[in-house]
Amino acid sequence: MTMNQARRFSRIMACCLAVTGFGLLTGCATLTELMGTWHVQPSPVETPPTAPADTSAAAPPAVATERPVDQGNVSPPPEQVLPVPAAGSGIDTPRRTLPGLDRLAPAAPAVATVLRNLLITEDTTWRGEVLIEGWVRIAPQTTLTLESGTVVRFRRTAPGITAAPGLLVQGRLVVRGSTDAPVRFTPANGTPLAGEWYGIVLLASEKKNIIEHCRVEGAVMGLDASHSALTMNGASFSSCGTGVRLAESVVTFAGGEVSGCEVGMELDGSEIDLRDVRFNGNVDGLTVRRSSLYLAGARVSDCKGRGIDAFDTRLKLEGAVVERCESGIVLTECDGSVAHSLIAGNRRVGLILSRSGVKISGSEIARNDVGLRVEDGRGIAWGNSFSGNGTYDIYNAGSEDFRAMANWWGTGQSAQNLDSRLYDGNDDPVRGMVLVAPVLDSAPLPAVPNSVAK
C-alpha cells in the first residue's frame, strides 16, 4: 500500500466511524438504517382514470345569424389553463362572502355564441349577444372592440371564486356603447348577484383602453386594472364585490356611477381624475392608498361605512358632495385640499384629518354628529360654513392647536360663545386649542346647489 492509499483509507475509516457513532446516538443500528432516515422516498403518483372521449365537443357552438360576432383569430390557450390570478398576485379576494359565488347558471341557449376558454390573437369586434364560459383572454398587441348594444353574458358552471368566468385583457379594450344602447357585461342569470363572474381584468394594458356607456353587473370585481391606462365615460358598475380596482394605473372617469358594491372604488398606487361620478349605496365608497386623486363634482352618498378613506395620498376635492355615510371623509397622512364641497348628514364624523396637511376652504360642513375631527395642527380650515352639527362642530383630539379662523358658525355667533360647539383645551388640558377668531359675519356662498346651511 502506498502512502497516498494509506491516507485515503484512514480518512474513509474515520468518516465511517463518525457516521456510525452519530447513528448510535440517533437510535439507528446500522449505517444503512441511518442513511434511510435521510433519504426521502418519493410519493407514488396516482394516475387519474381516463374519461371517455366526448364526441360532442368537436361540434362547433351554434351561432345566431341575426346576431353575428366577428371573433377574429380565436384559439384555445395552451393546456386550457384558466388565467385566474394566484394568491398574492395583487388581485385581492373579496372581503366578504359574495352571494353569487356559488350561483350556477342554466344551460346555454342554442342561439347564443359561446366562447369557452379562448385566446384571441387578432383584432376582433363583438356585436349582438356573446356568452362566455371560463376565461377569454385578449393577447398583447390585440384589440377587442364592442359595438353599441352588445350584451356579454358570463355563465358560471362551478361554484367558488376560482371557477368564476371572466375577460382578461393584455392587449387593448375598446367599448363603444351609447346612451341609448349601452354595452352590458352581466351574468347569464336573471337578476345579477355579486360574485357570479370575476370581472374585466386589464393586466399591463397600457394602450389607452376606452370604455364608453357601459354597464357592468354582478362581478367579483367589475373592473380590475393593474399597470394599465384607461379612459371611461358614462360607465356604471353595480352589485359587485368591488366596483373598480386600480393598481399602479392611470385612469380618467367621467359621468358614471358605482352603486350597491362592497367597495365602490379601490385605488392603490394609481392616478385618477374623477369628474361627476356618483357613488351610491356602497358599503364603502372610495378607498385610496398611495395615490393621486382629483375629484370634481362627484357625489358619495348612503355608504354603510366610510364615504372616502384615503391614506398617504395627494388629493384635490372640488365641488364634491359626501352625505349620509357612517363617516364622510377620512384622510390619514394626506396632503392637498377640500374646497367648495358639501359634507352633510353623516352619522358620526363629517371629515377626519390625521397627520394630514390638508386645506379646507369654501365648504359646508353641516348636520353631522361631529363636523370636523383633527388629530394635530397640520391642516387648516377657513371660509367654511359650520352649522347644525350634533355634538361638536370641531373636535380636537390632539395636543396641537388647530387653526379654524375666518369661518361662519351661524347667525349671531361670535368667537366668545362657541365653547360648547368646540372640543379642545378648554375641555381637556392635554388637548390643543381650536383657534377660531376672527369669525365671518355672514355665510359664504353655498358650496353646491341645494345647500342645507341655514
Side-chain angles (χ1 to χ4, degrees):
M1 181 182 293
T2 64
M3 183 64 69
N4 289 336
Q5 290 174 333
R7 287 175 180 171
R8 291 174 184 172
F9 181 76
S10 300
R11 290 172 182 168
I12 292 171
M13 291 301 297
C15 292
C16 290
L17 290 173
V19 172
T20 304
F22 180 75
L24 293 174
L25 290 175
T26 57
C28 298
T30 65
L31 179 60
T32 302
E33 183 181 347
L34 173 63
M35 298 304 291
T37 64
W38 291 350
H39 180 64
V40 179
Q41 297 291 337
S43 302
V45 178
E46 297 182 2
T47 303
T50 302
D54 184 1
T55 58
S56 63
V63 179
T65 56
E66 69 275 10
R67 292 176 176 177
V69 177
D70 177 11
Q71 299 180 22
N73 185 2
V74 179
S75 60
E79 300 181 2
Q80 297 288 315
V81 177
L82 302 183
V84 177
S89 64
I91 297 180
D92 303 326
T93 55
R95 297 181 309 161
R96 300 175 175 87
T97 300
L98 302 178
L101 286 177
D102 297 328
R103 186 187 189 193
L104 305 185
V111 296
T113 298
V114 182
L115 307 181
R116 296 183 178 92
N117 296 327
L118 298 180
L119 172 65
I120 298 178
T121 58
E122 290 186 356
D123 291 353
T124 300
T125 298
W126 287 353
R127 60 181 66 89
E129 292 258 357
V130 179
L131 182 64
I132 291 178
E133 294 180 0
W135 282 78
V136 170
R137 175 188 168 196
I138 310 304
Q141 312 303 322
T142 303
T143 298
L144 173 64
T145 301
L146 284 80
E147 295 184 352
S148 61
T150 301
V151 178
V152 183
R153 302 184 188 276
F154 294 83
R155 181 174 179 266
R156 173 187 284 280
T157 58
I161 189 171
T162 57
L167 176 64
L168 175 63
V169 179
Q170 294 178 282
R172 183 178 183 228
L173 178 65
V174 178
V175 178
R176 297 291 191 186
S178 64
T179 304
D180 296 331
V183 172
R184 187 180 176 196
F185 294 87
T186 188
N189 284 307
T191 303
L193 297 179
E196 293 193 65
W197 60 293
Y198 189 86
I200 303 169
V201 180
L202 303 181
L203 198 64
S205 177
E206 301 177 350
K207 297 181 177 297
K208 202 62 174 178
N209 299 280
I210 299 172
I211 296 179
E212 295 179 341
H213 301 290
C214 171
R215 292 165 54 190
V216 180
E217 308 162 322
V220 175
M221 295 188 180
L223 176 69
D224 187 349
S226 297
H227 296 269
S228 298
L230 171 67
T231 298
M232 293 190 288
N233 181 27
S236 69
F237 301 84
S238 62
S239 301
C240 297
T242 298
V244 178
R245 176 191 176 272
L246 307 175
E248 307 296 337
S249 296
V250 179
V251 175
T252 298
F253 186 6
E257 182 173 7
V258 184
S259 61
C261 302
E262 295 280 339
V263 179
M265 180 175 289
E266 179 181 345
L267 310 178
D268 189 356
S270 296
E271 179 179 336
I272 189 166
D273 186 324
L274 278 171
R275 298 172 187 263
D276 302 315
V277 178
R278 299 182 303 277
F279 296 83
N280 181 58
N282 304 289
V283 176
D284 291 314
L286 285 84
T287 300
V288 188
R289 300 289 181 268
R290 304 180 300 104
S291 297
S292 175
L293 170 64
Y294 177 73
L295 188 151
R299 180 180 293 268
V300 184
S301 60
D302 299 298
C303 295
K304 296 179 181 178
R306 296 176 173 182
I308 301 174
D309 184 359
F311 172 79
D312 190 19
T313 291
R314 181 72 182 177
L315 54 86
K316 185 174 184 180
L317 275 59
E318 290 187 333
V321 176
V322 183
E323 59 184 355
R324 299 189 302 274
C325 300
E326 186 70 9
S327 292
I329 304 174
V330 180
L331 306 180
T332 305
E333 297 184 12
C334 295
D335 291 294
S337 62
V338 177
H340 310 295
S341 296
L342 172 63
I343 305 169
N346 297 288
R347 294 179 292 278
R348 297 186 65 184
V349 185
L351 175 58
I352 299 175
L353 298 183
S354 176
R355 305 185 301 280
S356 295
V358 173
K359 304 179 290 292
I360 307 167
S361 64
S363 296
E364 185 173 347
I365 303 174
R367 296 187 293 107
N368 310 282
D369 183 45
V370 174
L372 171 63
R373 176 189 170 100
V374 299
E375 297 187 1
D376 50 52
R378 289 187 56 191
I380 55 175
W382 82 95
N384 303 288
S385 169
F386 290 86
S387 65
N389 295 297
T391 307
Y392 297 103
D393 285 330
I394 299 181
Y395 186 103
N396 190 345
S399 59
E400 302 174 0
D401 293 345
F402 180 77
R403 286 155 180 80
M405 303 168 180
N407 293 290
W408 186 74
W409 307 89
T411 303
Q413 297 291 336
S414 64
Q416 289 72 34
N417 60 7
L418 290 178
D419 287 349
S420 64
R421 299 177 61 179
L422 308 173
Y423 185 90
D424 59 8
N426 288 327
D427 302 280
D428 184 346
V430 303
R431 307 295 185 188
M433 298 300 295
V434 177
L435 307 178
V436 297
V439 302
L440 296 181
D441 295 330
S442 59
L445 293 175
V448 291
N450 301 319
S451 169
V452 300
K454 302 297 182 184

